[in-house]
Amino acid sequence: MNGKFWKGFIGILTALFVVIQGVCLPVTEVHGEDLTLESPSVILMEPSTGQILYEKNADEQRHPASVTKVMTLLLAFEQIGAGKMHMTDIVTVSAHAASMGGSQCFFEAGETQTVEDMIKCIIIASGNDAAVAMGEHIAGSEEAFVAMMNEKAAELGMVNTHFVNACGLDAEGHLTTARDIALMSRELTTKYPEVFNYSTIWMDTITHVTARGASDFGLSNTNKLLKTYPYCTGLKTGYTSGAGFSISATASKDGINLIAVVMGASTKEIRNSEVCKLFDYGFANCRMYQDEEVLRNGVTVPVKQGQSETVSCVPEQNSFFYMLTRDQVPEQMNKEINYSELSAPIQKGAVIGEAVYYYDGQRVGAVPLLAAEDVEGITYGFCFKKMLYHLFFVKPSEGQNPDVEEGIEEGSTEAASSMDETSDSASQTEAAEETLAPEEPGTEPTETEATETEQSTVE
């Protein structure tokens, strides 16, 4: 029989297997009751906020198996995002990488593949040889790449993690936790969502080119939840005899994204079933609070001793998100705008306040508020020019700074004092000045409130 027949036959068997598994793993409804899970260590996270929705022994160190490859992928996508590596770059497989056991894509020493095909081999087929080859390509050696992995883990606050290799084969000291896996999975999926273009591939093919010629090699996703759980979007499975069955799984439904990590399950069926329970629990008990307008346009803050009496204020980000769980209601969410007491000089981009969000009186998050422009401090020359404006009823047009008015030169402190003491014209028009002239430097306008509270909306 030819190769096409066997490919078709294998495809039919795979589809039948998926259907049977789907029957065994229905999407169930979970409404608020505590979960009872057999797996020794689990966690459920909402990635946009980092909120932990459920956990069990989440800080217990365990062998991660191929879930390790989440970090390998994260560093690869970081290199691509920084322009240091491209999907079309060529990766050469070393003898060391080709010698990896366990799940593999059966590369030969000296064989080459593109970065993109290596990513497919890592995330779809969980190729240990591909993971090590990628690490060597990025850092020069697996040892140097593992150092990068541990450095990134420390940066992300993965305090209970230590990597020994790039692929996840059991090794002494190669340990992490469910919480730490959720942290690196969050970093990968929120910073580089293009990873879902690969984690959702069910089957694909690469081409081996060796001294014996070219041959196709099929890739089949190790994450069967892609076919058995309708909202699953990834991410990475793992199994060794020492680690048991583990997974970092992602799912998305109605605008809510979740990360579920299960470590050390005794069977693949328990692992997959309990991931589904975690997802069902999250989707049933969570809804996203979203404030699309952290700060309304045109808000200004008073500035003392500045050439401008106010500074415009903008939020660091336009939206704020918070996951409401169980019996939480949006009516209990409040926002308070707090500004600092400001004195010039002020640089554009400086933090001058924050929008603080409270749920039922408890602080749950904040968005920094930034200065939208520079504000320079007042100088003797600035004061002198402003005095002349007052004296002769010269009022600058809207938005015009006295410093740039033609015909006015820098003065001295003595000139400003003399003008203030001897100007008969100024004393004759004192009442008119009070009406027309701008406020003196250092005074605070009464129109601008320093603190305001707004009720936000939920979508």
Side-chain angles (χ1 to χ4, degrees), residues 22-88:
V23 172
C24 297
L25 294 174
V27 179
T28 57
E29 293 186 1
V30 183
H31 296 289
E33 69 273 17
D34 289 335
L35 293 168
T36 301
L37 301 177
E38 183 178 335
S39 299
S41 180
V42 304
I43 199 167
L44 179 65
M45 173 190 281
E46 194 288 310
S48 70
T49 62
Q51 273 184 268
I52 303 303
L53 308 176
Y54 182 88
E55 61 179 287
K56 172 187 173 183
N57 299 328
D59 296 313
E60 181 179 274
Q61 284 188 316
R62 304 185 68 88
H63 293 294
S66 283
V67 182
T68 298
K69 296 183 176 76
V70 171
M71 180 60 82
T72 305
L73 291 164
L74 172 57
L75 293 179
F77 276 97
E78 278 191 343
Q79 293 286 308
I80 295 168
K84 298 178 181 179
M85 187 170 72
H86 303 87
M87 288 291 186
T88 55

